Each structure stands twice: as structure tokens, then as C-alpha cells.
Amino acid sequence: MHRKALISVIGGATAAVALAGVGTYLLAGTESTTALDEYTTVLVDGHKALAANIVAGRTKGKFHPVPWVGTKVSKVSCPTGLKAVTGARITCTGRTAKGKDIDIPVTVVKATATSVTWKFER
């Protein structure tokens, strides 16, 4: 009987750790798909682009989603909109909690006429 209880405890702990790992993976993602609509779209060099403030806001929100992933950043800004062209890149900037300025590379993974999938690097 004692052995069954021990196996149950170990099994429960293993399941909890696995669930925490999956949750962290889902929250820590750096990829985002955003619709290109009247509220998010600007023109950059004649191309549809995701507005700089949208990229900055979403990057800031996903950069430090849980305490054990990423670095807390503030004052994230992007120099221009992110062109809705696969492979397009911009470098946004942010400031860590310790006051250090950091570069945040952002790249378009996939673009269609109605949305752009992009990712940033931590």
C-alpha cells in the first residue's frame, strides 16, 4: 500500500512539472500573427505594414510573459512599421529594469494581404 502511494505522488509531481513546462512554452512564444486592418496598417515604402506602435506593444507584452522567461522591458519602441513582406526586418529598442538599452530584432515570418506573422528575438 505504501508503495502505491509513493508511485502516485511521483506520478502527480511528474505531471505537474510537465504541465508547467507546456504552459511556459505556450506563454513564452515570440511569434505573433496580426491582422492587417484599418487600425493596425500603415504604409512603409509603398508596402502595407504593421504599425510600429502595434509591434512595440505586443513585443513588450510577450518579452517577459512570466517571471522565469525573458527580461522585463519598458519603453519599447520601433523606428517604423514592419513591412508585410516575408523576411522584412526592423530593430526595435527597449530598456531593461536595470536601465540598460537593448535591441530587439523583429522579422516577418509570413505575410498575406490580410495578416502578417512575425517574431522577435529575446
Side-chain angles (χ1 to χ4, degrees):
M1 192 69 142
H2 181 68
R3 189 174 205 175
K4 284 185 179 182
L6 181 61
I7 290 172
S8 294
V9 168
I10 291 171
T14 301
V17 168
L19 184 60
V22 169
T24 297
Y25 175 79
L26 294 173
L27 288 172
T30 61
E31 191 170 291
S32 183
T33 299
T34 309
L36 293 171
D37 58 26
E38 62 185 288
Y39 305 107
T40 62
T41 305
V42 296
L43 286 179
V44 174
D45 297 332
H47 292 276
K48 274 186 174 181
L50 187 58
N53 64 321
I54 302 292
V55 177
R58 297 226 173 120
T59 299
K60 181 183 175 197
K62 291 179 72 101
F63 204 87
H64 182 64
V66 290
W68 55 89
V69 174
T71 302
K72 189 170 185 174
V73 294
S74 63
K75 299 184 181 179
V76 175
S77 64
C78 302
T80 185
L82 181 61
K83 288 182 193 177
V85 176
T86 301
R89 296 172 172 250
I90 59 173
T91 300
C92 299
T93 58
R95 179 163 290 161
T96 68
K98 294 181 179 180
K100 180 182 176 191
D101 291 333
I102 59 170
D103 289 338
I104 306 168
V106 180
T107 307
V108 175
V109 176
K110 178 182 173 187
T112 68
T114 58
S115 69
V116 60
T117 300
W118 54 280
K119 66 179 181 177
F120 65 89
E121 295 176 32
R122 277 193 187 93

